[in-house]
Amino acid sequence: MQVIAIKDIVRKDIPIYYRLLFTGVAVLELTKDPTDYRIDFSIEIKPTGQKEITVSFLDDLDYPLVPIVKELKHYIATMHSDGMLPD
């Protein structure tokens, strides 16, 4: 299982400045061929500066969720720290 990319990322406009909401398409390689899955994810920045990332799938997935969500959270955190998410 590998996260190839997250594409078509759109930021939802909400009035809370410390919470960022996004939708996108995660390209995951669960078997031999990469497959697209629609996701919603959020990044909430706590008062301590710590980031809390949540991920939810909009499409059905026939694979254990815990390892996929863990990899996606790491990938999203890297994208956020590298400034690759839309403003």
Side-chain angles (χ1 to χ4, degrees):
M1 194 284 304
Q2 182 179 359
V3 177
I4 305 297
I6 299 177
K7 60 183 184 178
D8 301 332
I9 300 172
V10 176
R11 183 174 173 185
K12 296 180 182 179
D13 189 27
I14 61 169
I16 303 172
Y17 71 92
Y18 58 87
R19 190 156 192 224
L20 310 171
L21 297 176
F22 300 92
T23 60
V25 177
V27 181
L28 304 175
E29 188 177 274
L30 302 177
T31 56
K32 296 179 183 177
D33 298 323
T35 309
D36 293 352
Y37 296 96
R38 295 178 300 136
I39 61 169
D40 282 339
F41 62 95
S42 67
I43 302 171
E44 185 171 341
I45 301 167
K46 301 290 183 181
T48 59
Q50 188 177 24
K51 298 175 194 170
E52 182 178 316
I53 300 171
T54 58
V55 178
S56 61
F57 283 88
L58 303 176
D59 296 327
D60 290 335
L61 191 65
D62 189 26
Y63 197 86
L65 283 179
V66 173
I68 293 174
V69 170
K70 182 179 176 183
E71 287 295 319
L72 278 171
K73 285 182 179 182
H74 177 67
Y75 193 87
I76 291 166
T78 303
M79 287 182 71
H80 185 258
S81 63
D82 291 346
M84 298 175 63
L85 293 175
D87 290 335

Coordinates of all heavy atoms in Angstrom, one line a residue:
M1 N 0.8 -1.2 0.0 CA 0.0 0.0 0.0 C 0.9 1.2 0.0 O 1.8 1.3 0.8 CB -0.9 0.0 1.2 CG -2.0 0.9 1.2 SD -1.7 2.7 1.5 CE -0.9 2.7 3.1
Q2 N 0.6 2.2 -0.9 CA 1.4 3.4 -1.0 C 0.5 4.5 -1.5 O -0.4 4.3 -2.4 CB 2.5 3.1 -2.0 CG 3.4 4.3 -2.2 CD 4.5 4.0 -3.2 OE1 4.6 2.9 -3.7 NE2 5.4 5.0 -3.4
V3 N 0.8 5.7 -1.0 CA 0.1 6.9 -1.4 C 0.9 7.5 -2.6 O 2.1 7.8 -2.4 CB 0.0 8.0 -0.3 CG1 -0.7 9.2 -0.8 CG2 -0.8 7.4 0.9
I4 N 0.3 7.5 -3.8 CA 1.0 8.1 -4.9 C 1.0 9.6 -4.9 O 2.0 10.3 -5.1 CB 0.5 7.5 -6.2 CG1 0.5 6.0 -6.2 CG2 1.2 8.0 -7.4 CD1 1.8 5.3 -6.1
A5 N -0.2 10.1 -4.8 CA -0.4 11.6 -4.8 C -1.8 11.9 -4.3 O -2.7 11.1 -4.1 CB -0.3 12.1 -6.2
I6 N -2.0 13.2 -4.0 CA -3.4 13.7 -3.7 C -3.5 14.9 -4.7 O -2.7 15.8 -4.8 CB -3.5 14.3 -2.3 CG1 -3.3 13.2 -1.3 CG2 -4.9 14.9 -2.1 CD1 -3.4 13.6 0.2
K7 N -4.5 14.7 -5.6 CA -4.7 15.7 -6.7 C -6.1 16.3 -6.6 O -6.9 15.9 -5.8 CB -4.6 15.0 -8.0 CG -5.6 13.9 -8.3 CD -5.3 13.2 -9.6 CE -6.4 12.1 -9.9 NZ -6.2 11.5 -11.1
D8 N -6.3 17.4 -7.4 CA -7.6 18.1 -7.4 C -8.0 18.6 -6.0 O -9.2 18.5 -5.7 CB -8.7 17.2 -8.0 CG -8.4 16.8 -9.4 OD1 -7.6 17.5 -10.1 OD2 -8.9 15.7 -9.8
I9 N -7.1 19.2 -5.3 CA -7.3 19.6 -3.9 C -8.0 21.0 -4.0 O -7.6 21.9 -4.7 CB -6.0 19.8 -3.1 CG1 -5.3 18.4 -3.0 CG2 -6.3 20.3 -1.8 CD1 -4.0 18.5 -2.4
V10 N -9.2 21.1 -3.3 CA -9.9 22.3 -3.2 C -10.1 22.7 -1.8 O -10.6 21.8 -1.0 CB -11.3 22.2 -3.9 CG1 -12.1 23.5 -3.8 CG2 -11.1 21.8 -5.4
R11 N -9.8 23.9 -1.4 CA -10.0 24.3 0.0 C -11.4 24.9 0.2 O -11.9 25.7 -0.6 CB -9.0 25.4 0.4 CG -9.1 25.8 1.8 CD -8.0 26.8 2.2 NE -8.3 27.3 3.6 CZ -7.6 28.2 4.2 NH1 -6.5 28.7 3.6 NH2 -7.9 28.6 5.4
K12 N -12.1 24.4 1.2 CA -13.4 24.9 1.5 C -13.3 26.2 2.3 O -12.4 26.3 3.2 CB -14.2 23.9 2.3 CG -14.5 22.6 1.5 CD -15.2 21.6 2.4 CE -15.5 20.3 1.7 NZ -16.2 19.4 2.5
D13 N -14.1 27.2 2.0 CA -14.0 28.5 2.7 C -14.9 28.4 4.0 O -16.1 28.3 3.9 CB -14.5 29.6 1.8 CG -14.3 30.9 2.3 OD1 -13.3 31.1 3.1 OD2 -15.1 31.8 2.0
I14 N -14.2 28.5 5.1 CA -14.9 28.6 6.4 C -14.3 29.7 7.2 O -13.1 30.1 7.0 CB -14.8 27.2 7.2 CG1 -13.3 26.9 7.5 CG2 -15.4 26.1 6.5 CD1 -13.1 25.8 8.5
P15 N -15.1 30.3 8.1 CA -14.6 31.5 8.8 C -13.6 31.2 10.0 O -13.2 32.1 10.7 CB -15.9 32.1 9.3 CG -16.8 31.0 9.4 CD -16.5 30.0 8.3
I16 N -13.3 30.0 10.3 CA -12.4 29.7 11.4 C -11.0 29.6 10.9 O -10.7 28.7 10.1 CB -12.8 28.3 12.0 CG1 -14.3 28.4 12.5 CG2 -11.9 28.0 13.2 CD1 -14.9 27.1 13.0
Y17 N -10.2 30.5 11.3 CA -8.8 30.6 10.8 C -7.9 29.5 11.1 O -6.9 29.3 10.4 CB -8.2 32.0 11.2 CG -7.8 32.0 12.6 CD1 -6.5 31.7 13.0 CD2 -8.7 32.5 13.6 CE1 -6.2 31.8 14.4 CE2 -8.4 32.5 14.9 CZ -7.1 32.2 15.3 OH -6.7 32.2 16.6
Y18 N -8.1 28.8 12.2 CA -7.2 27.7 12.6 C -7.6 26.4 12.1 O -6.9 25.4 12.5 CB -7.0 27.7 14.2 CG -8.3 27.5 14.9 CD1 -8.8 26.2 15.2 CD2 -9.1 28.6 15.3 CE1 -10.0 26.0 15.8 CE2 -10.3 28.4 16.0 CZ -10.7 27.1 16.3 OH -11.9 26.9 16.9
R19 N -8.6 26.3 11.3 CA -9.1 25.0 10.8 C -9.2 25.1 9.3 O -9.8 26.0 8.7 CB -10.5 24.7 11.4 CG -10.9 23.3 11.0 CD -11.9 22.8 12.0 NE -12.0 21.3 11.9 CZ -13.2 20.7 11.9 NH1 -14.3 21.4 12.1 NH2 -13.2 19.4 11.7
L20 N -8.5 24.2 8.6 CA -8.5 24.2 7.2 C -9.2 22.9 6.7 O -8.8 21.8 7.1 CB -7.0 24.2 6.7 CG -6.1 25.2 7.2 CD1 -4.6 25.0 6.8 CD2 -6.5 26.6 6.8
L21 N -10.2 23.1 5.8 CA -10.9 22.0 5.3 C -10.6 21.9 3.8 O -10.7 22.9 3.0 CB -12.4 22.2 5.5 CG -12.9 22.2 6.9 CD1 -14.4 22.5 6.9 CD2 -12.6 20.9 7.6
F22 N -10.4 20.6 3.3 CA -10.1 20.4 1.9 C -10.9 19.2 1.4 O -11.3 18.3 2.1 CB -8.6 20.1 1.7 CG -7.7 21.2 2.2 CD1 -7.2 21.2 3.5 CD2 -7.3 22.2 1.3 CE1 -6.4 22.2 3.9 CE2 -6.5 23.2 1.7 CZ -6.0 23.2 3.0
T23 N -11.1 19.1 0.1 CA -11.5 17.9 -0.6 C -10.5 17.6 -1.7 O -9.7 18.5 -2.1 CB -12.9 18.1 -1.3 OG1 -12.8 19.1 -2.3 CG2 -14.0 18.4 -0.3
G24 N -10.4 16.4 -2.1 CA -9.4 16.0 -3.1 C -9.6 14.6 -3.5 O -10.5 13.9 -3.1
V25 N -8.6 14.1 -4.3 CA -8.7 12.8 -4.8 C -7.3 12.2 -4.5 O -6.3 12.6 -4.9 CB -8.9 12.7 -6.4 CG1 -8.8 11.3 -6.9 CG2 -10.2 13.4 -6.7
A26 N -7.4 11.1 -3.7 CA -6.1 10.4 -3.3 C -5.9 9.3 -4.3 O -6.8 8.5 -4.6 CB -6.3 9.8 -1.9
V27 N -4.7 9.2 -4.8 CA -4.3 8.2 -5.7 C -3.5 7.2 -4.9 O -2.4 7.5 -4.4 CB -3.4 8.7 -6.9 CG1 -3.0 7.6 -7.8 CG2 -4.1 9.8 -7.6
L28 N -4.1 6.0 -4.7 CA -3.5 5.0 -3.8 C -3.2 3.7 -4.7 O -3.9 3.3 -5.5 CB -4.5 4.6 -2.7 CG -5.0 5.7 -1.8 CD1 -6.0 5.2 -0.9 CD2 -3.8 6.3 -1.1
E29 N -2.0 3.1 -4.3 CA -1.7 1.9 -5.0 C -1.9 0.8 -3.9 O -1.0 0.5 -3.1 CB -0.2 1.9 -5.4 CG 0.2 0.7 -6.2 CD 1.7 0.9 -6.7 OE1 1.9 1.5 -7.7 OE2 2.6 0.4 -6.0
L30 N -3.1 0.2 -4.0 CA -3.4 -0.9 -3.0 C -3.1 -2.2 -3.5 O -2.7 -3.1 -2.8 CB -4.9 -0.8 -2.7 CG -5.4 0.5 -2.1 CD1 -6.9 0.5 -1.9 CD2 -4.7 0.9 -0.8
T31 N -3.2 -2.4 -4.8 CA -2.8 -3.6 -5.5 C -1.7 -3.2 -6.5 O -0.8 -2.5 -6.2 CB -4.0 -4.3 -6.2 OG1 -4.6 -3.4 -7.1 CG2 -5.0 -4.7 -5.2
K32 N -1.8 -3.7 -7.7 CA -0.8 -3.4 -8.7 C -1.1 -2.1 -9.4 O -0.1 -1.4 -9.8 CB -0.7 -4.5 -9.7 CG -0.2 -5.8 -9.1 CD -0.2 -6.9 -10.2 CE 0.2 -8.2 -9.5 NZ 0.2 -9.4 -10.4
D33 N -2.3 -1.7 -9.6 CA -2.7 -0.5 -10.3 C -3.1 0.6 -9.4 O -3.9 0.4 -8.5 CB -3.8 -0.8 -11.3 CG -3.4 -1.8 -12.3 OD1 -2.3 -1.8 -12.8 OD2 -4.3 -2.7 -12.7
P34 N -2.7 1.8 -9.6 CA -3.1 3.0 -8.8 C -4.6 3.2 -9.0 O -5.1 3.1 -10.2 CB -2.3 4.2 -9.3 CG -1.1 3.5 -10.0 CD -1.6 2.2 -10.5
T35 N -5.3 3.6 -8.0 CA -6.8 3.8 -8.0 C -7.1 5.2 -7.3 O -6.4 5.5 -6.4 CB -7.5 2.7 -7.3 OG1 -7.1 1.4 -7.8 CG2 -9.0 2.8 -7.6
D36 N -8.0 5.9 -7.9 CA -8.4 7.2 -7.3 C -9.6 7.0 -6.3 O -10.5 6.2 -6.6 CB -8.9 8.1 -8.4 CG -7.8 8.5 -9.4 OD1 -6.7 8.2 -9.1 OD2 -8.1 9.2 -10.4
Y37 N -9.5 7.7 -5.2 CA -10.5 7.7 -4.1 C -10.7 9.1 -3.7 O -9.8 9.8 -3.4 CB -10.1 6.8 -2.9 CG -9.9 5.4 -3.2 CD1 -8.6 4.9 -3.5 CD2 -11.0 4.5 -3.3 CE1 -8.5 3.5 -3.8 CE2 -10.8 3.2 -3.5 CZ -9.5 2.7 -3.8 OH -9.4 1.4 -4.1
R38 N -12.0 9.5 -3.7 CA -12.3 10.9 -3.2 C -12.2 10.9 -1.7 O -12.7 10.0 -1.0 CB -13.7 11.3 -3.6 CG -13.9 11.4 -5.1 CD -15.3 11.7 -5.6 NE -16.2 10.7 -5.1 CZ -17.4 10.9 -4.6 NH1 -17.9 12.1 -4.4 NH2 -18.2 9.9 -4.2
I39 N -11.6 12.0 -1.2 CA -11.4 12.2 0.3 C -11.8 13.6 0.7 O -11.8 14.5 -0.1 CB -10.0 11.8 0.7 CG1 -9.0 12.8 0.1 CG2 -9.6 10.4 0.5 CD1 -7.6 12.7 0.6
D40 N -12.1 13.7 2.0 CA -12.2 15.0 2.7 C -11.2 15.0 3.7 O -11.0 13.9 4.4 CB -13.6 15.2 3.3 CG -14.7 15.6 2.4 OD1 -14.3 16.1 1.3 OD2 -15.8 15.5 2.7
F41 N -10.4 16.1 3.9 CA -9.5 16.1 5.1 C -9.4 17.5 5.6 O -9.8 18.5 5.0 CB -8.1 15.6 4.6 CG -7.4 16.4 3.6 CD1 -6.5 17.4 3.9 CD2 -7.6 16.1 2.2 CE1 -5.8 18.1 2.9 CE2 -6.9 16.8 1.3 CZ -6.1 17.8 1.6
S42 N -9.0 17.5 6.9 CA -8.9 18.8 7.6 C -7.6 18.8 8.4 O -7.1 17.8 8.8 CB -10.1 19.0 8.5 OG -10.1 18.1 9.6
I43 N -7.2 20.1 8.6 CA -6.0 20.3 9.4 C -6.4 21.3 10.4 O -6.8 22.4 10.1 CB -4.8 20.8 8.6 CG1 -4.5 19.8 7.5 CG2 -3.6 21.1 9.5 CD1 -3.5 20.4 6.5
E44 N -6.3 21.0 11.7 CA -6.7 21.9 12.8 C -5.4 22.2 13.5 O -4.7 21.2 14.0 CB -7.7 21.3 13.7 CG -8.2 22.3 14.7 CD -9.4 21.8 15.5 OE1 -10.1 20.9 15.0 OE2 -9.6 22.4 16.6
I45 N -5.1 23.5 13.7 CA -3.8 23.8 14.4 C -4.2 24.2 15.8 O -5.0 25.2 16.0 CB -3.1 25.0 13.6 CG1 -2.8 24.6 12.2 CG2 -1.9 25.4 14.4 CD1 -2.4 25.7 11.3
K46 N -3.7 23.4 16.7 CA -4.0 23.6 18.2 C -3.3 24.8 18.7 O -2.3 25.3 18.1 CB -3.6 22.4 18.9 CG -4.3 21.1 18.5 CD -5.7 21.1 18.9 CE -6.4 19.8 18.5 NZ -7.8 19.8 18.8
P47 N -3.7 25.4 19.9 CA -3.0 26.5 20.5 C -1.5 26.2 20.8 O -0.7 27.2 20.8 CB -3.7 26.8 21.8 CG -5.1 26.2 21.5 CD -4.9 25.0 20.6
T48 N -1.1 25.0 20.9 CA 0.3 24.6 21.2 C 1.1 24.6 19.9 O 2.3 24.3 19.9 CB 0.3 23.2 21.8 OG1 -0.3 22.3 21.0 CG2 -0.4 23.3 23.2
G49 N 0.4 24.7 18.7 CA 1.1 24.7 17.4 C 1.1 23.3 16.8 O 1.5 23.1 15.7
Q50 N 0.5 22.3 17.5 CA 0.4 21.0 17.0 C -0.7 20.9 16.0 O -1.7 21.5 16.1 CB 0.2 20.0 18.2 CG 0.2 18.5 17.8 CD 0.0 17.7 19.0 OE1 -0.6 18.1 20.0 NE2 0.5 16.5 19.0
K51 N -0.5 20.1 14.9 CA -1.5 19.9 13.9 C -2.2 18.6 14.1 O -1.6 17.6 14.3 CB -0.8 19.8 12.5 CG -0.1 21.0 12.1 CD 0.7 20.8 10.8 CE 1.7 21.9 10.5 NZ 2.6 21.6 9.4
E52 N -3.6 18.7 14.0 CA -4.4 17.5 14.1 C -5.1 17.3 12.7 O -5.8 18.2 12.3 CB -5.5 17.7 15.2 CG -6.3 16.4 15.3 CD -7.3 16.6 16.4 OE1 -7.0 17.1 17.5 OE2 -8.5 16.2 16.2
I53 N -4.7 16.2 12.1 CA -5.2 15.9 10.7 C -6.3 14.8 10.8 O -6.0 13.8 11.4 CB -4.1 15.5 9.8 CG1 -3.0 16.7 9.7 CG2 -4.6 15.2 8.4 CD1 -1.8 16.3 9.0
T54 N -7.4 15.1 10.1 CA -8.4 14.0 10.0 C -8.7 13.8 8.5 O -8.6 14.7 7.7 CB -9.7 14.4 10.7 OG1 -10.2 15.6 10.1 CG2 -9.6 14.6 12.2
V55 N -8.9 12.5 8.2 CA -9.2 12.1 6.8 C -10.4 11.2 6.8 O -10.6 10.4 7.7 CB -8.0 11.3 6.3 CG1 -8.3 10.8 4.9 CG2 -6.7 12.1 6.3
S56 N -11.3 11.5 5.8 CA -12.5 10.6 5.6 C -12.6 10.3 4.1 O -12.4 11.2 3.3 CB -13.8 11.3 6.2 OG -14.0 12.5 5.5
F57 N -13.0 9.1 3.9 CA -13.2 8.7 2.5 C -14.6 8.9 2.0 O -15.6 8.5 2.8 CB -12.8 7.2 2.3 CG -11.3 7.0 2.3 CD1 -10.6 6.8 3.5 CD2 -10.7 6.9 1.1 CE1 -9.3 6.6 3.4 CE2 -9.3 6.7 1.1 CZ -8.6 6.6 2.2
L58 N -14.8 9.4 0.8 CA -16.2 9.5 0.3 C -16.6 8.3 -0.6 O -17.7 8.1 -0.8 CB -16.3 10.8 -0.6 CG -15.9 12.1 0.2 CD1 -15.9 13.3 -0.8 CD2 -16.9 12.3 1.3
D59 N -15.6 7.6 -1.0 CA -15.8 6.3 -1.8 C -15.6 5.1 -0.9 O -14.8 5.2 0.1 CB -14.8 6.3 -3.0 CG -15.0 7.4 -4.0 OD1 -16.2 7.8 -4.1 OD2 -14.1 7.8 -4.6
D60 N -16.2 4.0 -1.3 CA -16.0 2.7 -0.6 C -14.6 2.2 -0.8 O -14.1 2.3 -2.0 CB -17.1 1.7 -1.0 CG -18.4 2.1 -0.5 OD1 -18.5 2.8 0.6 OD2 -19.4 1.6 -1.1
L61 N -14.1 1.6 0.2 CA -12.7 1.1 0.1 C -12.6 -0.3 0.6 O -13.2 -0.6 1.7 CB -11.8 2.0 0.9 CG -10.3 1.9 0.8 CD1 -9.9 2.3 -0.6 CD2 -9.7 2.9 1.8
D62 N -12.1 -1.2 -0.1 CA -12.0 -2.6 0.3 C -10.5 -2.9 0.7 O -9.8 -3.6 0.1 CB -12.4 -3.5 -0.9 CG -12.5 -5.0 -0.4 OD1 -12.7 -5.2 0.8 OD2 -12.3 -5.9 -1.3
Y63 N -10.1 -2.2 1.8 CA -8.8 -2.4 2.3 C -8.8 -1.9 3.8 O -9.7 -1.0 4.1 CB -7.8 -1.5 1.5 CG -6.4 -1.8 1.7 CD1 -5.8 -2.9 1.0 CD2 -5.6 -1.2 2.6 CE1 -4.4 -3.2 1.1 CE2 -4.2 -1.5 2.8 CZ -3.7 -2.5 2.1 OH -2.3 -2.8 2.2
P64 N -8.0 -2.4 4.7 CA -8.0 -1.9 6.1 C -7.7 -0.4 6.1 O -6.8 0.1 5.5 CB -6.9 -2.7 6.8 CG -6.8 -3.9 5.9 CD -7.1 -3.5 4.5
L65 N -8.6 0.4 6.8 CA -8.5 1.8 6.9 C -7.3 2.4 7.7 O -6.8 3.4 7.3 CB -9.8 2.4 7.4 CG -10.9 2.4 6.4 CD1 -12.2 3.0 7.1 CD2 -10.6 3.2 5.2
V66 N -7.0 1.7 8.8 CA -6.0 2.3 9.7 C -4.6 2.5 9.0 O -4.1 3.7 9.1 CB -5.8 1.4 10.9 CG1 -4.6 1.9 11.8 CG2 -7.1 1.4 11.7
P67 N -4.0 1.6 8.2 CA -2.8 1.9 7.6 C -2.9 3.0 6.5 O -2.0 3.8 6.3 CB -2.3 0.6 7.0 CG -3.4 -0.3 7.0 CD -4.4 0.2 8.1
I68 N -4.0 3.0 5.8 CA -4.2 4.0 4.7 C -4.3 5.4 5.3 O -3.7 6.3 4.9 CB -5.5 3.7 3.9 CG1 -5.2 2.4 3.1 CG2 -5.8 4.8 2.9 CD1 -6.4 1.9 2.4
V69 N -5.1 5.5 6.4 CA -5.3 6.8 7.0 C -4.0 7.3 7.6 O -3.6 8.5 7.5 CB -6.4 6.8 8.1 CG1 -6.5 8.0 8.9 CG2 -7.8 6.5 7.4
K70 N -3.2 6.4 8.2 CA -1.9 6.8 8.8 C -1.0 7.3 7.7 O -0.3 8.4 7.9 CB -1.3 5.6 9.4 CG 0.0 5.9 10.1 CD 0.6 4.6 10.8 CE 1.9 4.9 11.4 NZ 2.5 3.7 12.0
E71 N -0.9 6.7 6.5 CA -0.1 7.1 5.4 C -0.6 8.4 4.9 O 0.2 9.3 4.5 CB 0.0 6.1 4.3 CG 0.8 4.9 4.7 CD 2.3 5.2 4.9 OE1 2.8 6.0 4.1 OE2 2.9 4.6 5.8
L72 N -1.9 8.6 4.7 CA -2.4 9.8 4.2 C -2.2 11.0 5.1 O -1.9 12.1 4.7 CB -3.9 9.7 3.9 CG -4.3 9.0 2.6 CD1 -5.8 8.7 2.6 CD2 -3.9 9.9 1.5
K73 N -2.3 10.8 6.4 CA -2.0 11.9 7.4 C -0.6 12.3 7.3 O -0.3 13.5 7.3 CB -2.3 11.4 8.8 CG -3.8 11.3 9.1 CD -4.0 10.9 10.6 CE -5.5 10.9 10.9 NZ -5.7 10.5 12.4
H74 N 0.3 11.4 7.2 CA 1.8 11.7 7.0 C 2.0 12.5 5.7 O 2.7 13.5 5.7 CB 2.6 10.5 7.0 CG 4.1 10.7 6.8 ND1 4.8 11.4 7.7 CD2 4.9 10.4 5.8 CE1 6.1 11.5 7.3 NE2 6.1 10.9 6.1
Y75 N 1.4 12.0 4.6 CA 1.5 12.7 3.3 C 0.9 14.1 3.4 O 1.5 15.1 2.9 CB 0.8 11.9 2.3 CG 1.1 12.2 0.8 CD1 2.2 11.7 0.2 CD2 0.3 13.1 0.1 CE1 2.5 12.1 -1.1 CE2 0.6 13.5 -1.2 CZ 1.7 13.0 -1.8 OH 2.0 13.3 -3.1
I76 N -0.2 14.3 4.0 CA -0.9 15.6 4.1 C 0.0 16.5 5.0 O 0.1 17.7 4.6 CB -2.3 15.5 4.6 CG1 -3.2 14.8 3.6 CG2 -2.9 16.8 5.1 CD1 -4.5 14.3 4.1
A77 N 0.5 16.0 6.1 CA 1.4 16.9 6.9 C 2.6 17.4 6.2 O 3.0 18.5 6.3 CB 1.8 16.1 8.2
T78 N 3.2 16.5 5.3 CA 4.3 16.9 4.5 C 3.9 17.9 3.5 O 4.6 18.9 3.3 CB 4.9 15.6 3.8 OG1 5.3 14.7 4.8 CG2 6.1 16.0 3.0
M79 N 2.8 17.7 2.9 CA 2.3 18.7 1.9 C 2.1 20.1 2.6 O 2.4 21.1 2.0 CB 1.0 18.3 1.2 CG 1.2 17.1 0.2 SD -0.4 16.7 -0.6 CE -0.7 18.1 -1.6
H80 N 1.5 20.1 3.7 CA 1.2 21.3 4.5 C 2.5 22.0 4.9 O 2.6 23.3 4.7 CB 0.3 21.1 5.7 CG -0.1 22.3 6.4 ND1 0.5 22.7 7.5 CD2 -1.0 23.2 6.1 CE1 0.0 23.9 7.9 NE2 -1.0 24.2 7.1
S81 N 3.5 21.3 5.4 CA 4.7 21.9 5.8 C 5.5 22.4 4.6 O 6.3 23.4 4.7 CB 5.5 21.0 6.7 OG 5.9 19.8 5.9
D82 N 5.4 21.8 3.4 CA 6.1 22.2 2.2 C 5.3 23.3 1.5 O 5.8 23.8 0.5 CB 6.3 21.0 1.3 CG 7.3 20.0 1.8 OD1 8.0 20.4 2.8 OD2 7.4 18.9 1.3
G83 N 4.2 23.7 2.0 CA 3.4 24.8 1.3 C 2.7 24.3 0.0 O 2.5 25.2 -0.9
M84 N 2.4 23.1 -0.1 CA 1.8 22.6 -1.4 C 0.3 22.5 -1.4 O -0.3 22.1 -2.4 CB 2.4 21.2 -1.7 CG 3.9 21.1 -1.8 SD 4.6 19.5 -2.0 CE 3.8 19.0 -3.6
L85 N -0.3 22.9 -0.3 CA -1.8 23.0 -0.2 C -2.3 24.4 -0.7 O -1.6 25.4 -0.4 CB -2.3 22.7 1.2 CG -2.0 21.2 1.6 CD1 -2.4 21.1 3.1 CD2 -2.7 20.2 0.8
P86 N -3.5 24.4 -1.3 CA -4.0 25.7 -1.8 C -4.4 26.6 -0.6 O -4.8 26.2 0.4 CB -5.2 25.3 -2.7 CG -5.6 24.0 -2.2 CD -4.3 23.3 -1.7
D87 N -4.2 27.9 -0.9 CA -4.6 28.9 0.1 C -6.1 29.2 0.1 O -6.8 29.1 -0.8 CB -3.9 30.2 -0.1 CG -2.4 30.0 0.2 OD1 -2.1 29.2 1.0 OD2 -1.6 30.8 -0.3

